[in-house]
Amino acid sequence: MESDLRSIGELARDSGLSVSALRFYDGAGVLAPARVDPRTGYRWYAPEQLADARLLARLRRIGLPLAGIRAVLGAAPGGAAHRVLDAHLRRLEDGLADARRELSLIRRLIDQRENPMTTAPAEYRFTVPARALAEALDAVRFAVGGDPELPVLSGVLFDLDGGLLRLVATDRYRMALAEVLVGTPDTPDAPAPDASDASAAAIVPAPLADALRALLGSAAGPVELALGGAAVRVAVDGHRIEGAALDHDYPDYRALVRLDPVHRVGLPAADLRAAVASAPTRSLPSGPDGADCEVAVLAVDGTGRLTLAAPDGDADAPGPDALRVAVNRDFLLEALPAGAPGQLVLELGGPIAPLAIRTPDRPGTFSVLMPVRLPA
């Protein structure tokens, strides 16, 4: 009976959601009314929907994305909803850590601005294993940008964060990251990085990064790095190289790599590479500078099976409910060697969400490809 139903205004009052929010969540397929008046279009809600509306209001208050809200409200018993919340909490904690790191850097910039003659940028010296640094450079070098209009992307970011050195490269269409554990040099006057205060970054120009990689080819001992000043200094096995860091502010990469995947698919790297190399493609103007590129479509069906679908959607393509992500085929092939041989894990979040390519044994090393929007 309609007398048992709540009007949209009553549900808004009792749940803490606004009427416009309830209309939005109805349109988004999150909280549909129990009845819609066919003549007036007015929405009516069942008494038991009040609990969902109150839960939705709290999920909205903590900033849970729409996909997460939909997953929590639609989750069956068994812990799926708690996993969504745990993942969101980790994102919030990561965001807080990023905010603290940025505030620390801002304070240094303010000190340098107020005392330009007495405050010099802190330079941190630390060591990393030669092989680990070589593998990290190999994992990110392919993604360095080459657009002369964007010189900030023409190098590899070396980002020291406590006990980790992150290498980052991007050309806006793909991004690659790798992590290396750091140590401290044996030099007594070198500041020792630790998890609380070590923070330095430098954009290493591509030619200097390539020279460093060549030096690491036969290196046996640890690599000593110095970051934080205007120059990047490297010493290994008695050899030294030095070069100027690029004088730019690198884009904030951390927010771009906090993904919310819908599917995680594991498969052998060799199988994926062979499938991508032989998959049907479609030429679209979606490469750098608007140039045409060959686009491949990855699809995951309801059983979690990954296939390479036809970009034009022929009869052999997965069903209409399959999740599809279109990417630059050549970029995908370049990203595959970034991981160690063996298993890969692909993370897909949707047709307009980035595609992540990870290796299970190196969680801090992965690639992200921006999706290509297929014509309707």
Side-chain angles (χ1 to χ4, degrees):
M1 296 293 294
E2 189 169 294
S3 59
D4 296 327
L5 302 178
R6 276 183 169 82
S7 69
I8 189 171
E10 291 171 330
L11 187 67
R13 180 198 64 205
D14 295 340
S15 67
L17 291 167
S18 65
V19 169
S20 60
L22 287 169
R23 291 188 182 120
F24 169 78
Y25 288 117
D26 175 19
V30 173
L31 185 64
R35 179 179 181 275
V36 178
D37 189 299
R39 184 174 58 85
T40 65
Y42 203 78
R43 297 167 173 85
W44 297 88
Y45 293 83
E48 59 270 18
Q49 289 185 286
L50 176 60
D52 281 349
R54 285 174 169 167
L55 175 58
L56 197 163
R58 290 188 176 274
L59 295 173
R60 190 182 190 212
R61 204 171 299 156
I62 63 170
L64 188 67
L66 182 60
I69 291 175
R70 187 181 289 113
V72 169
L73 291 181
H82 288 288
R83 287 193 291 273
V84 172
L85 296 180
D86 290 342
H88 183 60
L89 178 58
R90 286 193 296 271
R91 286 194 296 269
L92 293 176
E93 290 171 341
D94 289 343
L96 180 58
D98 289 348
R100 286 177 173 150
R101 187 183 302 108
E102 288 299 321
L103 283 171
S104 177
L105 294 173
I106 289 169
R107 292 181 193 279
R108 290 185 202 170
L109 292 174
I110 291 173
D111 290 341
Q112 293 171 22
R113 183 180 179 216
E114 294 178 348
N115 304 286
M117 303 302 293
T118 60
T119 306
E123 181 181 79
Y124 286 92
R125 289 160 60 186
F126 54 96
T127 63
V128 293
R131 181 177 177 181
L133 183 58
E135 290 176 349
L137 282 168
D138 290 342
V140 305
R141 178 62 178 88
F142 75 95
V144 172
D147 187 346
E149 299 295 321
L150 291 169
V152 64
L153 304 182
S154 63
V156 177
L157 176 67
F158 280 50
D159 187 12
L160 176 65
D161 181 14
L164 279 178
L165 174 67
R166 292 190 185 93
L167 274 61
V168 186
T170 181
D171 62 0
R172 294 185 302 158
Y173 301 95
R174 62 262 179 96
M175 178 179 289
L177 296 90
E179 292 181 352
V180 183
L181 289 172
V182 308
T184 58
D186 295 330
T187 310
D189 61 349
D194 60 46
S196 61
D197 69 356
S199 179
I203 306 174
V204 179
L208 181 58
D210 292 340
L212 171 57
R213 179 62 185 90
L215 187 64
L216 297 173
S218 59
V223 182
E224 184 174 316
L225 288 165
L227 300 180
V232 178
R233 287 186 283 275
V234 183
V236 57
D237 288 351
H239 301 283
R240 296 180 180 274
I241 58 173
E242 180 177 330
L246 296 178
D247 188 16
H248 301 290
D249 281 338
Y250 205 77
D252 181 11
Y253 67 89
R254 296 180 184 89
L256 300 177
V257 297
R258 293 197 191 105
L259 308 176
D260 190 16
V262 176
H263 292 285
R264 288 184 174 90
V265 181
L267 71 171
D271 291 355
L272 177 60
R273 184 171 183 81
V276 173
S278 61
T281 62
R282 178 177 180 179
S283 183
L284 291 174
S286 54
D289 301 323
D292 284 357
C293 72
E294 295 302 311
V295 172
V297 178
L298 290 83
V300 180
D301 62 20
T303 67
R305 185 175 68 97
L306 178 76
T307 58
L308 273 295
D312 296 319
D314 62 14
D316 295 329
D321 295 331
L323 186 153
R324 292 175 172 83
V325 179
V327 295
N328 182 311
R329 192 268 308 271
D330 292 337
F331 285 178
L332 178 55
L333 288 173
E334 287 181 345
L336 295 181
Q343 285 291 113
L344 292 176
V345 175
L346 270 61
E347 295 182 347
L348 303 92
I352 60 173
L355 166 72
I357 305 166
R358 302 182 185 269
T359 53
D361 59 334
R362 297 172 64 191
T365 298
F366 61 99
S367 303
V368 176
L369 301 183
M370 299 300 112
V372 174
R373 189 182 294 273
L374 293 171

